[in-house]
Amino acid sequence: DGLALLAVAHFLQKLAHVARPATFVLYALHRHGWDELRVGAALAAVGLVSAIAQSALVRPACARLGERGVAVLGFAIGAAGRSLAGLAAGEIAFALAIPLMGLWSLAPPAVTGLASQLVGGDAQGRLQGALGALGGVAGIVGPGFFTLAFARGIDGTLGFEAPGIAFFASAAMLLGAAVVAGRTGQSSPSAGMR
């Protein structure tokens, strides 16, 4: 069922999102030795790209690619950004990941739009409540999962150091969301985001 697939994609992307607030400061300090100013600047840059993507790019992208295409593309770009951030050995490489991580924000509005098309007008509130509940569960489970992954990535348990492991796990979740969203029914490019 398309709605169930979209719920899975929504949950995966919400869970993947938690990696940044749960581990970014720890990761940036451990991997790059960043101070508060650099951490704040990096987070602000991701937020700025996200705001631009959501306010200026979602509508034209959906008109051109359809909501399913935008969801898949946004998740794939986000996975690339998270992977690059996890691999980044220096500030320049990490800076290259910032626009990709910000462009991930194209996907959630597209997923919500697709889900909204699958329920009647009388069920929109229940849909948004259910999606919100899934986000709440991700917000409960995610911090423990990602901080444990980060801890294991730097404590020698793996036999090597992998401080970017939380970013890699997040990227895997986004790839899963892309695959699941890609299996849903296709909205026509002009159908959504009016």
Coordinates of all heavy atoms in Angstrom, one line a residue, residues 66-121:
G66 N 7.7 15.7 -10.4 CA 6.7 15.0 -9.6 C 7.2 14.8 -8.2 O 8.4 14.8 -7.9
E67 N 6.2 14.7 -7.3 CA 6.6 14.5 -5.9 C 7.4 13.3 -5.6 O 8.3 13.3 -4.8 CB 5.3 14.6 -5.0 CG 4.8 16.0 -5.0 CD 3.4 16.1 -4.5 OE1 2.6 15.2 -4.8 OE2 3.1 17.1 -3.8
R68 N 7.1 12.2 -6.2 CA 7.9 11.0 -6.0 C 9.3 11.2 -6.4 O 10.2 10.8 -5.7 CB 7.3 9.8 -6.7 CG 8.1 8.5 -6.4 CD 7.4 7.3 -7.0 NE 7.7 7.3 -8.5 CZ 7.6 6.2 -9.2 NH1 7.1 5.1 -8.7 NH2 7.8 6.2 -10.5
G69 N 9.5 11.8 -7.6 CA 10.9 12.0 -8.1 C 11.6 12.9 -7.2 O 12.8 12.7 -6.9
V70 N 11.0 14.0 -6.6 CA 11.6 14.9 -5.7 C 12.0 14.2 -4.4 O 13.0 14.4 -3.8 CB 10.8 16.1 -5.5 CG1 11.3 17.0 -4.4 CG2 10.7 17.0 -6.8
A71 N 11.1 13.3 -3.9 CA 11.3 12.6 -2.7 C 12.6 11.7 -2.9 O 13.5 11.7 -2.0 CB 10.1 11.8 -2.3
V72 N 12.6 11.0 -3.9 CA 13.7 10.1 -4.2 C 15.0 10.9 -4.4 O 16.1 10.5 -3.8 CB 13.5 9.2 -5.4 CG1 14.7 8.4 -5.8 CG2 12.3 8.2 -5.2
L73 N 15.0 11.9 -5.1 CA 16.2 12.8 -5.4 C 16.6 13.4 -4.1 O 17.8 13.4 -3.8 CB 15.8 13.8 -6.4 CG 17.0 14.8 -6.7 CD1 18.2 14.1 -7.4 CD2 16.5 15.9 -7.6
G74 N 15.7 14.0 -3.3 CA 16.1 14.6 -2.0 C 16.7 13.6 -1.1 O 17.8 13.9 -0.4
F75 N 16.2 12.4 -0.9 CA 16.7 11.4 -0.1 C 18.1 11.0 -0.6 O 19.0 10.8 0.2 CB 15.8 10.2 0.1 CG 14.6 10.5 0.9 CD1 13.4 9.9 0.5 CD2 14.6 11.3 2.0 CE1 12.2 10.1 1.2 CE2 13.4 11.5 2.7 CZ 12.2 10.9 2.3
A76 N 18.3 10.8 -1.9 CA 19.6 10.4 -2.4 C 20.6 11.5 -2.2 O 21.8 11.2 -1.8 CB 19.4 10.1 -3.9
I77 N 20.2 12.7 -2.4 CA 21.2 13.8 -2.2 C 21.6 13.9 -0.7 O 22.7 14.1 -0.4 CB 20.6 15.2 -2.7 CG1 20.5 15.2 -4.2 CG2 21.4 16.4 -2.1 CD1 19.7 16.4 -4.7
G78 N 20.6 13.7 0.2 CA 20.9 13.7 1.6 C 21.8 12.6 2.0 O 22.7 12.8 2.8
A79 N 21.6 11.4 1.4 CA 22.5 10.3 1.7 C 23.9 10.6 1.2 O 24.9 10.2 1.9 CB 21.9 9.0 1.0
A80 N 24.0 11.2 0.1 CA 25.4 11.6 -0.4 C 26.0 12.6 0.5 O 27.2 12.5 0.9 CB 25.3 12.1 -1.8
G81 N 25.2 13.6 1.0 CA 25.8 14.6 1.9 C 26.2 14.0 3.2 O 27.3 14.3 3.8
R82 N 25.3 13.1 3.8 CA 25.7 12.4 5.0 C 26.9 11.6 4.9 O 27.8 11.5 5.8 CB 24.5 11.6 5.6 CG 23.4 12.5 6.1 CD 23.8 13.3 7.3 NE 22.8 14.2 7.8 CZ 22.0 14.1 8.8 NH1 22.1 13.0 9.6 NH2 21.2 15.1 9.2
S83 N 27.0 10.9 3.8 CA 28.2 10.0 3.5 C 29.5 10.9 3.4 O 30.5 10.5 4.0 CB 28.0 9.2 2.3 OG 27.0 8.3 2.4
L84 N 29.4 11.9 2.7 CA 30.5 12.8 2.5 C 30.9 13.4 3.9 O 32.1 13.5 4.2 CB 30.2 13.9 1.5 CG 31.4 14.9 1.1 CD1 32.6 14.1 0.7 CD2 30.9 15.9 0.1
A85 N 29.9 13.8 4.6 CA 30.2 14.4 6.0 C 30.9 13.4 6.8 O 31.9 13.7 7.6 CB 28.9 14.9 6.6
G86 N 30.5 12.1 6.8 CA 31.1 11.1 7.6 C 32.5 10.7 7.2 O 33.4 10.3 8.0
L87 N 32.8 10.9 5.9 CA 34.2 10.6 5.3 C 35.1 11.8 5.5 O 36.3 11.6 5.4 CB 34.1 10.2 3.8 CG 33.4 8.9 3.5 CD1 33.2 8.8 2.0 CD2 34.3 7.8 4.0
A88 N 34.6 13.0 5.6 CA 35.4 14.2 5.5 C 36.5 14.2 6.5 O 36.2 14.2 7.7 CB 34.5 15.4 5.7
A89 N 37.7 14.3 6.0 CA 38.9 14.3 6.9 C 39.3 15.7 7.2 O 40.1 16.0 8.1 CB 40.0 13.6 6.3
G90 N 38.7 16.7 6.5 CA 39.1 18.1 6.7 C 37.9 19.0 6.6 O 36.8 18.6 6.1
E91 N 38.1 20.3 6.9 CA 37.0 21.3 6.8 C 36.5 21.5 5.4 O 35.3 21.7 5.2 CB 37.5 22.6 7.4 CG 37.7 22.5 8.9 CD 38.1 23.8 9.5 OE1 38.0 24.9 8.8 OE2 38.6 23.8 10.6
I92 N 37.4 21.5 4.4 CA 36.9 21.7 3.0 C 36.0 20.6 2.6 O 35.0 20.8 2.0 CB 38.1 21.9 2.1 CG1 38.9 23.2 2.4 CG2 37.7 21.9 0.6 CD1 40.2 23.4 1.7
A93 N 36.4 19.4 2.8 CA 35.6 18.2 2.4 C 34.2 18.3 3.2 O 33.2 18.0 2.6 CB 36.3 16.9 2.7
F94 N 34.3 18.7 4.4 CA 33.0 18.8 5.2 C 32.2 19.9 4.6 O 30.9 19.8 4.5 CB 33.2 19.0 6.6 CG 32.0 18.8 7.4 CD1 31.5 17.6 7.8 CD2 31.2 19.9 7.7 CE1 30.3 17.5 8.5 CE2 30.0 19.8 8.4 CZ 29.6 18.6 8.8
A95 N 32.8 21.0 4.2 CA 32.0 22.1 3.7 C 31.3 21.7 2.4 O 30.2 22.2 2.1 CB 33.0 23.3 3.4
L96 N 31.9 20.8 1.6 CA 31.3 20.3 0.4 C 30.0 19.5 0.7 O 29.1 19.5 -0.2 CB 32.3 19.5 -0.4 CG 33.5 20.3 -1.0 CD1 34.4 19.3 -1.6 CD2 33.0 21.4 -2.0
A97 N 30.0 18.9 1.9 CA 28.8 18.1 2.2 C 27.6 19.0 2.6 O 26.5 18.6 2.6 CB 29.1 17.2 3.4
I98 N 27.9 20.2 3.1 CA 26.8 21.1 3.6 C 25.7 21.3 2.6 O 24.5 21.1 3.0 CB 27.4 22.4 4.2 CG1 28.1 22.1 5.5 CG2 26.3 23.4 4.4 CD1 28.9 23.2 6.1
P99 N 25.9 21.7 1.4 CA 24.8 21.9 0.5 C 24.0 20.7 0.2 O 22.8 20.7 0.1 CB 25.4 22.4 -0.8 CG 26.8 22.7 -0.5 CD 27.2 22.1 0.8
L100 N 24.7 19.5 0.2 CA 24.0 18.3 -0.1 C 23.1 17.9 1.1 O 21.9 17.5 0.9 CB 25.0 17.1 -0.3 CG 25.9 17.3 -1.5 CD1 26.9 16.2 -1.6 CD2 25.1 17.4 -2.8
M101 N 23.6 18.1 2.3 CA 22.8 17.8 3.5 C 21.6 18.8 3.6 O 20.5 18.4 4.0 CB 23.6 17.9 4.8 CG 24.6 16.8 4.9 SD 25.4 16.7 6.5 CE 26.4 18.2 6.5
G102 N 21.8 20.0 3.1 CA 20.6 21.0 3.1 C 19.6 20.7 2.1 O 18.4 20.8 2.3
L103 N 20.1 20.2 0.9 CA 19.1 19.9 -0.2 C 18.3 18.6 0.1 O 17.2 18.4 -0.5 CB 19.9 19.7 -1.5 CG 20.4 21.0 -2.1 CD1 21.3 20.7 -3.3 CD2 19.2 21.9 -2.5
W104 N 18.6 17.9 1.1 CA 17.8 16.7 1.6 C 16.4 17.3 1.9 O 15.4 16.5 1.8 CB 18.5 16.1 2.7 CG 17.7 15.2 3.6 CD1 16.4 14.7 3.4 CD2 18.0 14.8 4.9 NE1 16.0 13.9 4.4 CE2 17.0 14.0 5.4 CE3 19.1 15.0 5.7 CZ2 17.0 13.4 6.7 CZ3 19.2 14.4 6.9 CH2 18.1 13.6 7.4
S105 N 16.3 18.5 2.3 CA 15.0 19.0 2.8 C 14.0 19.2 1.7 O 12.9 19.5 1.9 CB 15.2 20.4 3.5 OG 15.7 21.3 2.6
L106 N 14.4 18.9 0.4 CA 13.4 18.8 -0.7 C 12.5 17.6 -0.4 O 11.3 17.7 -0.9 CB 14.1 18.6 -2.0 CG 15.0 19.7 -2.5 CD1 15.8 19.3 -3.7 CD2 14.1 20.9 -2.9
A107 N 12.9 16.5 0.2 CA 12.2 15.3 0.2 C 11.0 15.3 1.2 O 9.9 14.9 0.8 CB 13.1 14.1 0.6
P108 N 11.1 15.8 2.4 CA 9.9 15.7 3.3 C 8.6 16.3 2.8 O 7.6 15.7 2.9 CB 10.4 16.3 4.6 CG 11.9 16.1 4.6 CD 12.3 16.3 3.1
P109 N 8.7 17.5 2.2 CA 7.4 18.1 1.7 C 6.8 17.2 0.6 O 5.6 17.1 0.5 CB 7.8 19.5 1.2 CG 9.1 19.8 1.9 CD 9.8 18.5 2.1
A110 N 7.7 16.7 -0.2 CA 7.2 15.8 -1.3 C 6.5 14.5 -0.8 O 5.5 14.1 -1.3 CB 8.4 15.5 -2.3
V111 N 7.1 13.9 0.3 CA 6.5 12.8 0.9 C 5.2 13.1 1.5 O 4.2 12.4 1.3 CB 7.5 12.1 1.9 CG1 6.8 11.1 2.8 CG2 8.7 11.5 1.2
T112 N 5.1 14.2 2.2 CA 3.9 14.7 2.8 C 2.8 14.9 1.7 O 1.6 14.5 1.9 CB 4.1 15.9 3.6 OG1 5.0 15.6 4.7 CG2 2.8 16.4 4.3
G113 N 3.2 15.5 0.6 CA 2.3 15.8 -0.5 C 1.8 14.5 -1.1 O 0.6 14.4 -1.4
L114 N 2.7 13.5 -1.3 CA 2.2 12.2 -1.8 C 1.2 11.6 -0.9 O 0.2 11.0 -1.3 CB 3.4 11.3 -2.0 CG 4.3 11.6 -3.2 CD1 5.6 10.8 -3.2 CD2 3.5 11.3 -4.5
A115 N 1.5 11.6 0.4 CA 0.7 10.9 1.4 C -0.7 11.7 1.4 O -1.7 11.0 1.5 CB 1.3 11.0 2.8
S116 N -0.7 13.0 1.3 CA -1.9 13.7 1.4 C -2.8 13.4 0.2 O -4.1 13.4 0.3 CB -1.6 15.2 1.4 OG -1.0 15.6 2.6
Q117 N -2.3 13.0 -0.9 CA -3.0 12.7 -2.1 C -3.7 11.3 -1.9 O -4.7 11.0 -2.6 CB -2.2 12.6 -3.3 CG -1.6 13.9 -3.8 CD -0.6 13.8 -4.9 OE1 -0.7 12.9 -5.7 NE2 0.4 14.7 -4.9
L118 N -3.3 10.5 -1.0 CA -3.8 9.1 -0.8 C -4.9 9.0 0.2 O -5.5 8.0 0.4 CB -2.6 8.2 -0.4 CG -1.6 8.0 -1.5 CD1 -0.4 7.2 -1.0 CD2 -2.1 7.5 -2.8
V119 N -5.2 10.1 0.9 CA -6.3 10.1 1.8 C -7.3 11.2 1.5 O -6.9 12.2 0.9 CB -5.8 10.2 3.3 CG1 -4.9 9.1 3.7 CG2 -5.2 11.6 3.5
G120 N -8.5 11.1 1.9 CA -9.6 12.1 1.6 C -9.4 13.3 2.5 O -8.6 13.3 3.5
G121 N -10.1 14.3 2.2 CA -10.1 15.6 2.9 C -10.4 15.4 4.4 O -9.9 16.1 5.3

